[in-house]
C-alpha cells in the first residue's frame, strides 16, 4: 500500500533545546492526519534529493497535528540546516508516512534509554507505557542540560526519569538500569551509535529494541555517552561487493547489478519506480520483499531474526550473498 503523502503547513515553530527545533505540522484544510503509534517516523521532502526522516514525538491521539524535532547538525548533509534556516511558520512542506520500524511492543515493564535527540521516538512511548500501567524507567543523557530537548515534559513523570547531562554526571551509568533486569522487561534505546552498541552489549538476548538515526560507521571519537560501533539489528553479513543478477518478479525482467552500484540505483536506472529516501539503510522506506536468493544485509533497520529470515531487504544498501536475487518488483 502506498503511504500517505501530502503538503502540510508548519503551524508552530519553537526551539526546545540548544540547536533543537520543534515543528508542529497540520493539514492546510484541517483534514485529519493518518493514525500513528509510538516509534513512527515521517519523511520530509525538502527538495530534489533532499529527503529526511524524523520521529513523531507528539500525541498519537491528536489527529490534527504531527510534531517532530530536528537537531541542527553542522556536519550533516544539509537536511537539518534546511529545516532550521528555511522552514518558517506558514510554509508548506511535502510529507510522507508515517512508517514504524520501532514499535512499542506490549510488556509489563520497560527500560527506556535515550541519548540526545534520541528522546524523540521515546517520548510517546512513555505516555503509552503509562497508559498501559506498565512499570518503566527512563535514563536520558546528553552533552549538556541545555542541549537536552523536552526535559520539562519528561520531568512530570517524577523519579522514574533520570536526567544525566554528561558535563554534570559523566558517562551514562548503564549498569544502573540494565544490570539484573527483571524477567519480561523490554529495553528501548535510541541515540548515537556508540550508545546503542554499549546498551546492546549489556542486554540479554531478545530484550533490546533500538533505532539508529544514522548508518553504522567506524567510531570517530567519544560522543560523551559511551561505547563502540556495530549494527542495530545484528551483525552485517559478508557477501562481497561483486556483480549479481536481480530478477524483477512482476515484470520478469533480469537486471545486472554491477560492483559499486546499489540494487536501488540499478532498478531506478531500468525505469522502475520505487519508494526510497535515506539511501543509507536507516529509514526502511525501500524495504522490498525477497522471493528467492539470500540477501547480504547491510542496513541498520532489520533485527537479527529478520536478517536470518531473509524475507525482505533494504535495496539502497544491501546486496546478494550469491549470484541471483528475485525481488517483488
Amino acid at each position: 500500500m502506498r503511504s500517505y503523502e501530502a503538503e502540510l503547513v508548519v503551524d508552530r515553530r519553537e526551539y526546545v533545546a540548544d540547536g533543537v527545533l520543534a515543528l508542529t505540522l497540520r493539514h492546510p484544510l484541517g483534514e485529519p492526519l493518518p493514525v500513528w503509534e509510538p516509534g513512527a517516523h515521517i519523511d520530509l521532502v525538502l527538495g530534489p534529493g533532499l529527503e529526511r526522516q524524523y520521529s513523531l514525538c507528539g500525541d498519537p491521539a491528536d489527529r490534527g497535528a504531527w510534531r517532530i524535532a530536528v537537531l541542527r547538525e553542522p556536519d550533516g548533509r544539509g537536511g537539518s540546516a534546511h529545516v532550521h534556516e528555511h522552514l518558517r511558520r506558514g510554509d508548506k512542506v511535502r510529507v510522507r508516512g508515517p512508517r514504524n520500524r520501532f514499535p512499542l511492543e506490549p510488556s509489563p515493564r520497560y527500560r527506556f534509554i535515550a541519548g540526545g535527540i534520541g528522546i524523540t521516538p521515546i517520548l510517546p512511548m512513555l505516555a503509552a507505557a503509562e497508559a498501559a500501567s506498565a512499570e518503566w524507567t527512563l535514563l536520558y543523557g546528553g552533552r549538556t542540560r541545555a542541549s537536552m530537548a523536552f526535559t520539562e515534559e519528561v520531568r512530570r513523570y517524577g523519579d522514574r526519569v533520570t536526567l544525566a547531562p554528561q558535563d554534570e554526571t559523566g558517562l551514562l551509568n548503564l549498569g544502573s538500569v540494565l544490570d539484573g533486569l527483571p524477567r519480561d522487561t523490554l529495553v528501548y534505546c535510541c541515540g548515537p551509535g556508540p550508545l546503542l552498541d554499549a546498551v546492546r552489549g549489556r542486554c540479554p538476548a531478545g530484550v533490546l529494541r533500538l533505532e539508529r538515526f544514522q548508518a553504522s560507521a567506524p567510531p570517530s571519537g567519544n560522543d560523551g555517552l559511551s561505547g563502540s560501533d556495530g549494527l542495530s539489528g545484528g551483525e552485517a553479513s559478508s557477501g562481497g561487493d561483486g556483480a549479481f543478477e536481480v530478477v524483477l518478479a512482476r515484470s520478469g525482467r533480469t537486471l545486472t547489478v554491477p560492483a559499486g552500484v546499489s540494487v536501488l540505483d540499478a532498478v531506478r536506472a531500468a525505469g522502475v519506480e520505487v519508494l526510497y529516501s535515506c539511501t543509507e539503510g536507516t529509514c526502511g522506506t525501500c524495504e522490498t520483499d525477497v522471493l528467492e536468493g539470500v540477501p547480504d544485509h547491510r542496513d541498520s533497520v532489520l533485527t537479527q531474526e529478520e536478517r536470518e529470515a531473509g524475507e525482505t531487504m533494504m535495496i539502497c544498501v544491501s546486496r546478494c550473498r550469491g549470484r541471483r536475487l528475485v525481488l517483488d518488483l
Side-chain angles (χ1 to χ4, degrees):
M1 182 190 306
R2 188 174 181 83
S3 65
Y4 175 83
E5 184 168 345
E7 296 274 350
L8 300 186
V9 174
V10 178
D11 182 64
R12 188 175 179 181
R13 184 181 191 274
E14 60 177 333
Y15 279 91
V16 292
D18 289 348
V20 180
L21 177 66
L23 300 179
T24 300
L25 307 174
R26 298 183 184 273
H27 193 281
L29 301 180
E31 295 179 4
L33 300 175
V35 173
W36 62 279
E37 296 182 347
H41 70 265
I42 57 174
D43 300 339
L44 294 193
V45 184
L46 303 170
L50 193 61
E51 302 177 16
R52 298 293 184 267
Q53 296 73 45
Y54 299 104
S55 296
L56 290 169
C57 58
D59 180 2
D62 184 359
R63 297 289 305 280
W66 282 345
R67 184 178 69 169
I68 61 173
V70 181
L71 171 66
R72 176 69 181 262
E73 299 182 81
D75 298 324
R77 297 179 296 136
S80 66
H82 182 97
V83 171
H84 279 247
E85 295 172 9
H86 299 293
L87 284 187
R88 296 289 182 257
R89 188 164 183 252
D91 287 350
K92 290 184 179 181
V93 60
R94 179 155 292 276
V95 177
R96 288 199 300 253
R99 288 185 303 278
N100 199 342
R101 294 290 315 188
F102 191 41
L104 183 67
E105 302 172 23
S107 178
R109 55 188 59 86
Y110 301 96
R111 297 293 178 264
F112 297 107
I113 301 173
I117 197 63
I119 190 62
T120 51
I122 299 294
L123 264 183
M125 292 185 181
L126 304 182
E130 184 77 356
S133 299
E135 184 271 312
W136 63 269
T137 63
L138 167 67
L139 177 61
Y140 176 19
R143 295 182 184 279
T144 65
R145 192 174 295 271
S147 72
M148 297 167 63
F150 304 118
T151 53
E152 292 306 312
E153 290 191 27
V154 300
R155 282 181 192 277
R156 65 188 179 93
Y157 293 112
D159 60 6
R160 282 174 292 178
V161 173
T162 299
L163 300 180
Q166 191 269 337
D167 64 339
E168 298 177 21
T169 64
L171 301 181
L172 287 182
N173 183 2
L174 299 180
S176 66
V177 294
L178 297 178
D179 290 350
L181 280 177
R183 296 185 62 184
D184 301 324
T185 302
L186 289 181
V187 177
Y188 277 78
C189 180
C190 187
L195 170 65
L196 304 185
D197 299 321
V199 171
R200 189 176 63 178
R202 300 188 73 122
C203 282
V207 306
L208 178 60
R209 309 290 184 269
L210 55 81
E211 182 168 60
R212 188 182 296 274
F213 285 151
Q214 296 180 334
S216 299
S220 56
N222 194 340
D223 70 347
L225 293 167
S226 62
S228 60
D229 187 66
L231 289 176
S232 64
E235 298 305 323
S237 56
S238 54
D241 296 316
F244 57 95
E245 289 187 344
V246 168
V247 178
L248 309 183
R250 297 183 196 176
S251 64
R253 298 175 63 185
T254 298
L255 310 176
T256 297
V257 180
V261 175
S262 70
V263 176
L264 173 64
D265 287 344
V267 168
R268 293 185 67 238
V272 179
E273 291 297 322
V274 293
L275 284 178
Y276 70 98
S277 184
C278 73
T279 69
E280 293 184 333
T282 60
C283 73
T285 304
C286 69
E287 185 172 9
T288 301
D289 288 342
V290 178
L291 305 181
E292 293 181 28
V294 180
D296 174 12
H297 296 292
R298 303 185 183 190
D299 64 274
S300 299
V301 176
L302 296 176
T303 65
Q304 184 62 30
E305 292 77 12
E306 289 170 328
R307 290 166 180 263
E308 292 172 357
E311 295 176 352
T312 68
M313 66 184 289
M314 307 303 154
I315 61 173
C316 66
V317 292
S318 298
R319 300 185 69 79
C320 179
R321 290 184 61 86
R323 294 185 175 182
R324 182 174 178 268
L325 287 172
V326 180
L327 303 180
D328 185 21
L329 291 173

